[in-house]
Amino acid sequence: IKWFGRMYEAGLMGEIYLRQMLKGQLNYQQVWKSDMPLALKMFKAGKLKIFPTFGKAKAKKRTEENKDGIAYYPGCSLHGTSKEYDISTRAVFNKLDFPLHEPEGWGCCGTTPAHSTDHYLSTLLPMKNVALMKGEGFDHITTPCPSCFLRMKTALKDTEENEDLRKKVARDIPNLSSNGMKVEHLLATVTDRIGYQKVASKVVHPIKGMKVVCYYGCIITRPPKITEVKDYEYPTQMDRLMKTLGIESLDWSYKTRCCGVSLGITQVPIALELSRKILKNAKSVGADAIVVACPLCHVNLDARQKQIEENFDETYNLPVIYFTQLMGLAFGMKLEELGLEKHFVDPLPLLRKMGAVSF
């Protein structure tokens, strides 16, 4: 992140493998049997880049075209392993006539690596992006990635409450001003800012007959002192959104349980076991699919699903779909506009069965 300004996923994996190999801890069978085929599939789907991308902030003046929009911070995953989330988000917001503005040259928020190793860096990196978007005239930021959301919210809170930290950050970011800045997760932008009524007005093809479970994951709602979410143990925003699209949202026990997040890179067996519990509970309540709003949750439940089935001798075949993709289908949008062909567990048979697509 320090070198390139953004997360370099292929390089990160390579470094982890090298460190594990030097310590005699590398699971070669895991690498060759599961990880390498997974990486190859992602590369073919355009979700994994061999070479790093660079984030160099270049603030631009807010234009007449985007004056009524909101600053959009996609985060590193949406330009890589979760590309379909970015594709469907842009398509859906365009359909809703709600402009998104992605600042040029944004940098990584620091995510887990920064806040695990360097508290100051975990504050400085997100604040650079806040300053970039503030400099372009925006006071609202939306981000699809829960980790980015949490890092920005935490950085704003810490600099507001800690004067010494605020002064130190200000020395590295000239003319820093974060007064009035608000950060939302993309789901809240859709349900709270745009609203269910506006979403309903765009629905031309309700997806009747589909039963789903809404999986929020760990950090869209928690910790509540940072996220400011009241129903953090049993959120219902996504459930209400699904009903607006004509989809039945089922009650279940794993709405906010952990899927293993980045342990899917460093401690794969733990991530597989945690993700398996989510898949198993979803299947047991009769879900046709799992709806998600997090890039890492999607990778663990979708890309690792076949490996989970093989390891535990179980069958799930549960499509894992971003909420924005289902919104797009209900809006009558084409498959290629939503990136549905990039999933590892093919959702098209289910969507055809439900009449959500006609081919």
Side-chain angles (χ1 to χ4, degrees):
I1 295 171
K2 287 180 178 178
W3 287 346
F4 307 121
R6 291 186 184 167
M7 178 69 75
Y8 176 31
E9 292 168 318
L12 175 65
M13 289 297 297
E15 182 179 351
I16 289 172
Y17 290 150
L18 179 60
R19 289 175 180 267
Q20 290 178 335
M21 184 178 68
L22 293 174
K23 290 185 176 182
Q25 298 174 349
L26 183 62
N27 185 335
Y28 291 94
Q29 184 178 3
Q30 167 71 35
V31 172
W32 293 112
K33 184 181 177 182
S34 301
D35 292 355
M36 293 305 292
L38 182 64
L40 183 60
K41 286 184 180 179
M42 285 189 170
F43 176 72
K44 288 180 177 179
K47 298 171 68 172
L48 186 64
K49 298 176 181 178
I50 298 298
F51 300 105
T53 55
F54 297 86
K56 293 183 179 179
K58 296 179 182 178
K60 292 183 177 180
K61 291 184 178 180
R62 195 171 186 176
T63 65
E64 188 71 20
E65 182 181 351
N66 62 47
K67 70 175 184 178
D68 296 324
I70 189 170
Y72 173 60
Y73 179 77
C76 302
S77 294
L78 271 81
H79 276 213
T81 52
S82 301
K83 197 171 183 178
E84 63 268 48
Y85 196 5
D86 182 57
I87 292 170
S88 57
T89 293
R90 294 176 187 276
V92 163
F93 272 72
N94 184 56
K95 196 77 171 180
L96 288 165
D97 303 314
F98 196 92
L100 290 175
H101 171 72
E102 179 182 349
E104 184 179 345
W106 54 265
C108 182
C109 69
T111 188
T112 301
H115 84 81
S116 298
T117 59
D118 187 331
H119 177 254
Y120 178 64
L121 191 64
S122 73
T123 304
L124 179 66
L125 291 175
M127 289 305 292
K128 282 184 176 181
N129 291 298
V130 169
L132 172 65
M133 287 175 263
K134 182 76 170 179
E136 295 191 8
F138 291 92
D139 54 15
H140 283 83
I141 303 169
T142 189
T143 178
C145 174
S147 182
C148 297
F149 165 66
L150 195 63
R151 294 322 314 152
M152 282 191 178
K153 290 280 286 185
T154 301
L156 284 168
K157 189 174 190 298
D158 287 352
T159 51
E160 181 183 343
E161 297 177 352
N162 188 324
E163 185 178 356
D164 291 338
L165 178 63
R166 184 168 63 250
K167 288 179 179 178
K168 188 176 180 181
V169 171
R171 287 196 292 269
D172 285 320
I173 308 176
N175 303 316
L176 172 66
S177 173
S178 58
N179 292 336
M181 291 297 290
K182 296 185 183 299
V183 180
E184 299 171 340
H185 185 266
L186 188 76
L187 178 60
T189 303
V190 170
T191 60
D192 300 348
R193 184 172 299 278
I194 295 175
Y196 300 102
Q197 187 173 350
K198 175 74 171 180
V199 172
S201 72
K202 298 294 182 179
V203 174
V204 297
H205 190 77
I207 309 173
K208 299 291 185 180
M210 183 185 289
K211 297 179 180 181
V212 303
V213 289
C214 293
Y215 180 56
Y216 296 78
C218 301
I219 56 176
I220 291 178
T221 64
R222 297 180 294 192
K225 66 178 182 180
I226 301 294
T227 65
E228 300 177 286
V229 173
K230 293 181 180 179
D231 55 349
Y232 55 91
E233 291 292 355
Y234 196 84
T236 57
Q237 288 171 295
M238 207 184 327
D239 299 77
R240 290 181 61 193
L241 181 61
M242 291 302 106
K243 291 176 183 177
T244 304
L245 306 179
I247 299 169
E248 182 180 353
S249 180
L250 303 173
D251 184 31
W252 70 317
S253 304
Y254 278 74
K255 274 191 176 188
T256 57
R257 296 289 291 271
C258 183
C259 69
V261 284
S262 56
L263 292 179
I265 301 174
T266 58
Q267 299 290 338
V268 176
I270 297 175
L272 295 182
E273 174 59 33
L274 291 173
S275 294
R276 175 207 178 204
K277 290 179 179 179
I278 293 164
L279 292 168
K280 193 170 184 176
N281 190 249
K283 194 79 170 178
S284 70
V285 299
D288 298 313
I290 300 175
V291 186
V292 297
C294 170
L296 271 175
C297 294
H298 190 275
V299 169
N300 282 339
L301 296 174
D302 174 61
R304 294 281 189 191
Q305 190 172 142
K306 183 179 178 181
Q307 186 181 355
I308 293 170
E309 291 178 334
E310 291 174 350
N311 281 18
F312 297 96
D313 194 24
E314 298 168 344
T315 302
Y316 296 105
N317 193 31
L318 273 175
V320 184
I321 309 173
Y322 288 109
F323 75 95
T324 47
Q325 293 176 311
L326 290 173
M327 288 176 67
L329 289 173
F331 292 173
M333 302 178 76
K334 297 179 181 178
L335 293 175
E336 56 267 26
E337 295 179 86
L338 304 171
L340 283 157
E341 76 285 353
K342 296 182 181 294
H343 293 222
F344 282 63
V345 180
D346 187 2
L348 296 187
L350 171 65
L351 296 174
R352 290 192 186 101
K353 179 181 175 183
M354 299 299 164
V357 295
S358 57
F359 57 89

